[in-house]
């Protein structure tokens, strides 16, 4: 009861002055302050060649509320955390802008993962403090559930990819995603051979699931533009749900050419971060689906901004598969957004349920992800089942330049 009263007064009271930072007092702020940020590594997860960070972040407040986030590396979490110790966790956008702009260079994609993890935890704090799920803070539910597609399907006992694809669709998932043939082995990758084999593979999968967008393919940036377009044009009449990463992602402008040469639905963005990585592809309608995900965009708020861009330009959202908590956060985010189509990727066709989270932190049934009505993100974290890495409880000793307009808004310095 005492804690509940503290939370209520913290939410309704005016802001306390934050020592050491020149932030103006905000009338709508809480009295809560960030006191500690801890970082844990995810047991059993070790993919050094794959930058989908899976660390667990705890953001603790002086009111006893702890928010949980996911993502980031030790160094990047430490740098971001030192900038917000002592701050009001309710000012999520304000803190995001401060961390994003507070260093001379804009954050790279690995740092965005860390910022996204911390920002995710701030939403969790706010939801827990107010007693509402995060999707309510984001505008309320816009969907009854989020459809899913599978990359692989662990539940299947089938021995062929065609049979696994059929089992996946029968289990209620919307689509089954495949990759191109060849590669990832000792045998050199023959482009001519694998263009032909990939096209034949698509034909077999399409026949197995009965067409109708029940399958998709990721070309994995593996082919050059000529070969990628050969595949796209050969499978166009099969109507795949999407064709992903037809060419490499370093030069997004190349999709002006790709878009003019194929009619397949194009999906791009799993290697991207914030809205400035992908806005031109959306605004110029060069793609049909974004693949941006959490925490890679830099957080829930940034993802929502990209969702608005997508809605404005009639682009769907099919985020890349991610960590278990980030998957749950995507349900809150997509479940409160309105792009014309949303679809979530599940590696193996089902969400992960690690031992360090409560069993019901994610609600999955009949191939679909449902909104979790518990306060915050709906997650309970058991630190004893993860590996402690570090704790930050003091703000940085190096002052960061802070340029603001008369109304208090942060500007680049």
């Amino acid at each position: 009861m005492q804690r509940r009263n503290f939370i209520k007064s913290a939410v309704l009271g005016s802001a306390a002055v934050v020592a050491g930072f020149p932030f103006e007092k905000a009338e709508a702020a809480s009295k809560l302050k960030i006191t500690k940020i801890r970082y844990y590594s995810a047991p059993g997860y070790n993919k050094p060649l794959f930058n989908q960070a899976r660390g667990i972040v705890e953001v603790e407040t002086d009111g006893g509320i702890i928010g949980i986030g996911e993502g980031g590396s030790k160094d990047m979490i430490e740098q971001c955390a030192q900038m917000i110790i002592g701050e009001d966790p309710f000012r999520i956008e304000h803190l995001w802008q401060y961390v994003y702009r507070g260093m001379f260079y804009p954050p790279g994609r690995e740092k965005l993962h860390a910022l996204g993890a911390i920002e995710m935890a701030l939403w969790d704090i706010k939801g827990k403090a107010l007693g509402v799920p995060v999707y309510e803070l984001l505008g309320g539910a816009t969907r009854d559930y989020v459809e899913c597609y599978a990359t692989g399907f662990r539940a299947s006992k089938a021995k062929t990819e065609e049979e696994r694809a059929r089992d996946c669709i029968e289990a209620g998932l919307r689509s089954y995603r495949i990759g191109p043939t060849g590669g990832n082995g000792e045998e050199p990758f023959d482009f001519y051979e694998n263009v032909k084999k990939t096209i034949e593979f698509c034909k077999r999968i399409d026949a197995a699931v009965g067409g109708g967008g029940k399958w998709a393919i990721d070309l994995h940036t593996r082919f050059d533009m000529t070969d990628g377009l050969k595949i796209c044009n050969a499978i166009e009449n099969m109507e795949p749900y999407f064709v992903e990463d037809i060419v490499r992602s370093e030069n997004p402008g190349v999709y002006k050419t790709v878009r003019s040469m194929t009619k397949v639905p194009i999906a791009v963005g799993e290697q991207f971060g914030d809205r400035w990585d992908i806005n031109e592809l959306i605004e110029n309608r060069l793609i049909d689906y974004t693949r941006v995900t959490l925490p890679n965009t830099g957080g829930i708020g940034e993802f929502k901004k990209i969702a608005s861009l997508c809605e404005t330009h009639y682009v769907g959202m099919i985020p890349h598969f991610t960590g278990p908590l980030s998957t749950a956060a995507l349900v809150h985010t997509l479940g409160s957004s309105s792009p014309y189509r949303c679809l979530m990727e599940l590696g193996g066709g089902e969400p992960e349920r690690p031992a360090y989270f409560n069993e019901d932190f994610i609600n999955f049934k009949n191939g679909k992800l449902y909104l979790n009505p518990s306060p915050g993100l709906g997650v309970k974290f058991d630190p004893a089942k993860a590996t402690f890495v570090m704790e930050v409880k003091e703000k940085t000793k190096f002052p960061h330049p802070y340029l603001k307009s008369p109304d208090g808004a942060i500007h680049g310095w």
Side-chain angles (χ1 to χ4, degrees):
M1 181 63 71
Q2 186 177 6
R3 177 180 170 184
R4 187 179 303 163
N5 289 337
F6 177 88
I7 293 169
K8 184 177 180 181
S9 64
V11 172
L12 298 177
S14 61
V17 176
V18 179
F21 285 84
F23 292 161
E24 293 295 321
K25 186 162 63 177
E27 293 302 320
S30 75
K31 287 183 179 178
L32 295 172
K33 291 183 181 179
I34 297 168
T35 56
K36 298 175 185 177
I37 297 177
R38 288 179 287 272
Y39 180 72
Y40 302 80
S41 63
Y45 184 82
N46 181 23
K47 290 189 177 181
L49 300 181
F50 188 58
N51 290 341
Q52 187 63 65
R54 296 285 288 275
I56 304 107
V57 176
E58 284 188 314
V59 178
E60 185 173 333
T61 67
D62 58 358
I65 304 172
I66 297 176
I68 311 300
E70 183 179 63
S73 65
K74 174 185 177 295
D75 291 346
M76 291 295 94
I77 290 290
E78 186 173 26
Q79 186 183 87
C80 295
Q82 288 176 348
M83 295 179 69
I84 64 171
I85 295 295
E87 292 300 326
D88 178 358
F90 272 31
R91 300 189 69 187
I92 299 173
E93 176 69 13
H94 180 76
L95 295 180
W96 192 91
Q97 292 290 341
Y98 179 55
V99 176
Y100 189 94
R101 297 168 183 256
M103 306 293 283
F104 181 74
Y105 292 112
R109 290 170 184 167
E110 281 80 4
K111 186 173 178 179
L112 279 171
H113 293 187
L115 179 53
I118 291 174
E119 192 257 19
M120 190 185 300
L122 298 182
W123 283 104
D124 191 39
I125 288 171
K126 197 163 190 174
K128 288 173 177 174
L130 297 174
V132 297
V134 166
Y135 68 81
E136 291 289 3
L137 300 177
L138 300 174
T142 56
R143 291 176 157 77
D144 296 327
Y145 54 79
V146 182
E147 287 191 308
C148 301
Y149 72 95
T151 298
F153 192 59
R154 284 190 292 267
S156 176
K157 306 298 182 184
K159 295 182 179 180
T160 69
E161 196 82 0
E162 293 89 335
E163 291 170 340
R164 278 192 291 274
R166 190 182 302 115
D167 288 346
C168 169
I169 300 305
E170 289 176 354
L173 288 99
R174 178 64 181 85
S175 195
Y176 184 79
R177 191 188 78 157
I178 60 173
T181 63
N184 298 322
E186 295 294 327
E187 192 71 24
F189 186 75
D190 186 303
F191 295 97
Y192 290 97
E193 177 185 0
N194 283 293
V195 165
K196 295 176 182 178
K197 285 184 175 180
T198 297
I199 293 168
E200 291 304 313
F201 184 31
C202 290
K203 290 178 181 178
R204 297 197 306 272
I205 295 293
D206 183 63
V209 298
K214 295 183 180 69
W215 66 279
I217 184 168
D218 177 7
L219 297 188
H220 241 283
T221 71
R222 190 170 294 176
F223 298 93
D224 61 19
M225 191 155 67
T226 300
D227 289 334
L229 286 168
K230 282 181 186 176
I231 296 171
C232 289
N233 293 332
I235 67 175
E236 182 182 308
N237 290 336
M238 300 179 210
E239 299 183 326
Y241 201 108
F242 59 86
V243 180
E244 180 183 347
D245 285 346
I246 299 168
V247 292
R248 287 174 59 174
S249 64
E250 292 90 344
N251 177 18
V254 76
Y255 277 94
K256 292 178 183 176
T257 302
V258 173
R259 173 88 283 177
S260 69
M261 298 181 73
T262 184
K263 294 180 181 178
V264 296
I266 299 172
V268 174
E270 70 178 49
Q271 298 175 349
F272 292 173
D274 58 35
R275 81 200 91 146
W276 292 284
D277 272 347
I278 202 165
N279 69 298
E280 291 185 11
L281 293 179
I282 297 170
E283 291 162 4
N284 293 318
R285 285 293 283 116
L286 301 180
I287 59 175
D288 299 281
Y289 299 100
T290 65
R291 294 279 284 137
V292 296
T293 194
L294 292 175
N296 304 30
T297 59
I300 289 171
E302 186 67 8
F303 191 97
K304 286 285 286 189
K305 292 173 185 177
I306 296 173
S308 293
L309 278 175
C310 288
E311 182 181 5
T312 305
H313 297 89
Y314 314 111
V315 171
M317 302 191 81
I318 50 172
H320 187 272
F321 75 84
T322 182
L325 179 55
S326 298
T327 299
L330 280 170
V331 181
H332 285 272
T333 311
L334 291 176
S336 60
S337 302
S338 302
Y340 81 111
R341 282 189 189 176
C342 289
L343 198 64
M344 283 179 59
E345 179 183 11
L346 296 177
E350 58 188 15
E352 296 179 62
R353 299 183 188 273
Y356 48 80
F357 292 147
N358 50 305
E359 177 70 20
D360 60 352
F361 82 101
I362 199 160
N363 187 3
F364 178 71
K365 55 185 177 182
N366 301 322
K368 302 169 181 63
L369 285 164
Y370 289 80
L371 294 165
N372 186 338
S374 299
L377 293 171
V379 63
K380 297 174 185 175
F381 171 56
D382 183 353
K385 295 180 179 178
T387 305
F388 176 77
V389 176
M390 68 164 187
E391 178 180 84
V392 176
K393 54 185 179 181
E394 295 182 1
K395 62 191 176 188
T396 177
K397 295 179 173 63
F398 302 98
H400 289 265
Y402 179 77
L403 184 67
K404 63 180 180 181
S405 60
D407 63 4
I410 293 176
H411 287 250
W413 57 273

